[in-house]
Amino acid sequence: MTQSSSSARARTYLPFLFALVLAIPFAKPDAARAQQVNDIAIETRFQGDFGSAFARGRALIAADFDLDGQIDLYVGNPGDPSYILRGVSRNGRTRFLMTQILLKDAIAWGGSAADYDNDGDYDLYISCGANEGECFDYLFKNMLMEEGRLRFEDVTAEAGISGPVPPGATDPIPVASANGSWGDYDQDGDVDLFVSVNIWKGSFMDGPVMSDKFLEKGRPLAGAEDILGRNVLWRNNGDGTFTDVTDDLGLGATLRPTRHSTFMDIDNDGDLDIYENNNADMNVIWRNLLVENGAPAFEDVTALMSPPGEDLGYPFGSFTMCSVDFNNDGWQDILTFTSNDFEDASGSPYGPGHALFINLEGTGFMNLADQAEINNPFIPNLGVMGSQVGDLNGDGTPDIYVGNGGPSAGQFDQLYLSDTQPGMMPHYINRSDLIDFPAPVNERSTAAYPPYPYRTHGTAFIDIDGDGTLEVVVNHGGPAELPAEMMQEPNRLFKFTWDAPINYFRIRPVGDGVHVSKDAIGARVKVTVSSLTETWSLYQTLFAGHCFSAQNGFALHFLIGPATSVDEVEITWPDGTQSVITEGLSINSDMVVAYTGAGQQPRLMTASEARPSHLTPADPVAEAAPDAAAESRLPEGFTLSDVYPNPFNPRARFTLSVDETQPVRIEMYDLLGRRVALLHDGALAAGETHRFALEGANLPSGVYLVRATGRTFAASRRVTLLK
């Protein structure tokens, strides 16, 4: 795409672009605010050397599976064990403990979590095959509600969801499923599943090659050619079983090499549409006609949603996509990544690179990638697989993590941080330098560390340590067809240290399981916040299955920058009901909002109140079964105590110990991000308990943040001064 053609389209849609710059809620943020980024995968036990080896990573699904308020993870690894990591926090330190191995030899490529049975906990779908083989998919039921502790049970057979059944046949066939996205497309109160399926072509670059090792029922049935490569829409029957309604709803007419699609509401009419993401083929936007016709059906509106000069069928060769409201106008936008440089030869109206489609209030989409500078630079050839979007620097505009790398070699990842305010057309600064370094080597591990860079896959933006900011969690690994020593790679967990605290507000919507699914997938949330002088609004949608086989949990995490109050929360539930909340809101807090129906006030709970009372207390030791050798190799890192007393007046104290002598800075901030005290700036010796004191005599009453930052860690504690 030339600059002149981009400018011409911008003039054509000048009214829309003008609307994007009307809201300027606070001073322009600095995209370079991050002081440093540390990889804390070793001390959190996420690097993945269980069994003395890394894995070939793919999916990374974040969810509070045990409802204890701490994020857990499903880590999918084709050909290697795929497992659940339970997040636990003790003595101010966060770790992941392997709780259950779900699959050992399956080509576990994708995954997504949802409460498919509406019992109040989150279950797990695992897609298998994609680029590496034909096999059967899996559905694991979370038994937390039934047994009072976290355990997953394979219910694939009774759910009938392992694979499609060809016409005239009775048994499912193995296919090359890439990923699944959950959503209640028919608005019957339970979530359905759209599965993206690759086309089998018989060579590694065009399709899978590793079928025989993993097939459970032999080669596909004769006469099944018409169904191979067809995506599948599974309708939830509400009784634990699913029905394939792909053909009935108009989605089965074409066969494309589909990778990572998602449910999204392109026109804000209240029903879920589908963006079909295809590799080496045209992408498709399917509009759900439920609202228009009173019954669900899908029609291809790709051309209709492409204004003059645009074509949403491109970019050609897209391996993954993400949907988020980039400009905070209440309409979901689309970021489509291209995995290879096909555009010059494919007839695309755009040049090589990724596309940022801004939603023109439901009338179409406009590619503003050039203006946003998300291809500065574009790395061709191997291209993007893993990716994620979310606000890292707290300016209200979603940032972009571009995970590069292909089967034959790794590539450097890219990080784009926004330097625009909510309501403006997003613009990005390339800060890849922050994450461009190899994984730290755990000297206690016997795993082989491959050359850097790696191959990036599932990537999530989640608050690991509960300090209100988001970490970037990345699953790495190459294809299972190549030798393990070439393709088993360490996972990453990037901890950002910003130059000032960032306030947040986190909300988890919960449905009633009748009108709205218990997980409330598809709920849209608008949060209005204010500082001493400005007011602005932020928008997020709850997705289940997003970007490349990734998920950011079921709580929507809003970073609200300099805001000092949360004024209003507006929830548009999947059934169209709206809830407006103006009471009980505060910054730096977590809230659970339960659906109560039209005309009723929603029920508000704290995160701890939302945990069902019959569940057994979370016991990280009793419930975890980590590999003993890996457990003994992992370092303790540091211990930061709680501040005591808390609240305090006028003095308080805390301790810090480190396992490695290193320079440490300890600072105290107020909620406006102003540093009010420097408590320590120098080396701390390992093996000692270092004591520190807070002095509040010259400070006003309020909430403060004590932050400790070292070479191998970053941690914080909130403390209240009451006079």
Side-chain angles (χ1 to χ4, degrees), residues 369-632:
D370 284 357
Q371 292 86 340
E373 292 196 74
I374 64 169
N375 294 308
N376 183 22
F378 170 66
I379 301 178
N381 301 322
L382 297 180
V384 176
M385 290 189 176
S387 57
Q388 193 52 257
V389 291
D391 187 9
L392 295 173
N393 63 2
D395 66 358
T397 300
D399 304 302
I400 303 171
Y401 191 98
V402 185
N404 295 304
S408 59
Q411 276 184 289
F412 298 103
D413 290 349
Q414 296 167 287
L415 176 66
Y416 290 91
L417 295 180
S418 160
D419 64 351
T420 46
Q421 306 99 332
M424 296 183 66
M425 215 296 285
H427 178 267
Y428 292 94
I429 303 296
N430 187 337
R431 291 308 314 274
S432 304
D433 59 292
L434 292 172
I435 49 99
D436 181 15
F437 59 92
V441 175
N442 181 4
E443 295 180 355
R444 305 182 189 182
S445 175
T446 58
Y449 284 78
Y452 174 78
Y454 317 119
R455 299 152 185 81
T456 295
H457 292 101
T459 303
F461 288 3
I462 47 181
D463 183 5
I464 292 295
D465 51 13
D467 69 350
T469 59
L470 295 175
E471 283 74 59
V472 176
V473 190
V474 187
N475 194 9
H476 283 295
E481 68 149 3
L482 299 179
E485 62 272 14
M486 295 175 60
M487 295 298 148
Q488 292 177 322
E489 298 174 333
N491 298 329
R492 314 297 299 272
L493 205 168
F494 293 111
K495 174 70 180 177
F496 290 73
T497 300
W498 304 98
D499 63 359
I502 300 174
N503 294 329
Y504 75 96
F505 177 73
R506 193 158 40 216
I507 182 169
R508 178 165 66 96
V510 177
D512 63 348
V514 178
H515 305 89
V516 173
S517 62
K518 283 285 186 69
D519 48 33
I521 292 169
R524 290 181 287 153
V525 178
K526 172 186 176 183
V527 174
T528 300
V529 299
S530 61
S531 65
L532 297 177
T533 57
E534 263 95 24
T535 299
W536 63 97
S537 296
L538 304 169
Y539 298 81
Q540 289 192 38
T541 299
L542 181 56
F543 291 104
H546 194 223
C547 304
F548 182 102
S549 296
Q551 210 158 320
N552 293 335
F554 289 86
L556 297 175
H557 192 114
F558 292 85
L559 292 182
I560 57 179
T564 54
S565 68
V566 179
D567 302 328
E568 181 180 277
V569 173
E570 178 183 291
I571 302 176
T572 302
W573 299 93
D575 69 345
T577 301
Q578 285 194 329
S579 299
V580 177
I581 306 165
T582 57
E583 303 293 331
L585 306 173
S586 61
I587 64 172
N588 301 322
S589 66
D590 292 71
M591 173 177 288
V592 179
V593 180
Y595 171 92
T596 52
Q600 303 293 320
Q601 284 295 316
R603 186 160 53 95
L604 310 183
M605 297 176 283
T606 65
S608 59
E609 290 172 338
R611 180 176 169 84
S613 58
H614 78 281
L615 300 183
T616 57
D619 182 352
V621 177
E623 294 190 19
D627 177 84
E631 177 93 357
S632 65

Side-chain angles (χ1 to χ4, degrees), residues 154-219:
D154 186 348
V155 295
T156 311
E158 60 196 73
I161 205 171
S162 62
V165 179
T170 58
D171 295 327
I173 61 171
V175 295
S177 300
N179 194 37
S181 177
W182 294 92
D184 186 4
Y185 79 88
D186 53 4
Q187 295 187 353
D188 65 351
D190 50 36
V191 286
D192 313 293
L193 180 66
F194 182 77
V195 178
S196 298
V197 180
N198 185 20
I199 293 179
W200 176 275
K201 290 186 178 179
S203 70
F204 179 75
M205 294 307 296
D206 292 332
V209 296
M210 289 195 63
S211 61
D212 296 334
K213 179 179 178 182
F214 297 103
L215 283 177
E216 298 178 46
K217 294 188 177 181
R219 299 298 301 166

Side-chain angles (χ1 to χ4, degrees), residues 161-380:
I161 205 171
S162 62
V165 179
T170 58
D171 295 327
I173 61 171
V175 295
S177 300
N179 194 37
S181 177
W182 294 92
D184 186 4
Y185 79 88
D186 53 4
Q187 295 187 353
D188 65 351
D190 50 36
V191 286
D192 313 293
L193 180 66
F194 182 77
V195 178
S196 298
V197 180
N198 185 20
I199 293 179
W200 176 275
K201 290 186 178 179
S203 70
F204 179 75
M205 294 307 296
D206 292 332
V209 296
M210 289 195 63
S211 61
D212 296 334
K213 179 179 178 182
F214 297 103
L215 283 177
E216 298 178 46
K217 294 188 177 181
R219 299 298 301 166
L221 300 175
E225 291 79 7
D226 291 339
I227 202 171
L228 289 176
R230 186 202 68 163
N231 299 323
V232 184
L233 178 58
W234 293 105
R235 180 185 183 275
N236 190 335
N237 299 321
D239 59 359
T241 67
F242 291 79
T243 299
D244 182 348
V245 295
T246 313
D247 295 331
D248 296 340
L249 297 184
L251 292 168
T254 58
L255 303 178
R256 300 180 180 89
T258 308
R259 291 304 198 273
H260 294 81
S261 309
T262 193
F263 280 112
M264 59 178 292
D265 189 354
I266 61 171
D267 47 11
N268 280 4
D269 65 351
D271 55 26
L272 289 177
D273 313 298
I274 297 173
Y275 182 93
E276 180 188 306
N277 173 246
N278 295 302
N279 187 41
D281 208 325
M282 307 299 289
N283 303 315
V284 182
I285 293 185
W286 297 98
R287 171 181 282 160
N288 189 349
L289 301 177
L290 174 62
V291 170
E292 291 83 355
N293 298 342
F298 289 88
E299 67 172 351
D300 182 348
V301 295
T302 312
L304 182 64
M305 300 301 288
S306 301
E310 306 287 341
D311 191 336
L312 268 73
Y314 294 94
F316 200 81
S318 175
F319 211 100
T320 184
M321 57 81 61
C322 301
S323 178
V324 73
D325 188 351
F326 281 98
N327 57 322
N328 279 292
D329 65 348
W331 299 82
Q332 294 173 33
D333 309 307
I334 300 170
L335 175 57
T336 305
F337 297 97
T338 180
S339 62
N340 290 285
D341 186 4
F342 290 126
E343 302 311 301
D344 285 341
S346 67
S348 169
Y350 318 118
H354 316 307
L356 177 61
F357 291 111
I358 298 297
N359 194 329
L360 304 177
E361 298 182 0
T363 64
F365 291 82
M366 182 175 179
N367 182 10
L368 297 179
D370 284 357
Q371 292 86 340
E373 292 196 74
I374 64 169
N375 294 308
N376 183 22
F378 170 66
I379 301 178

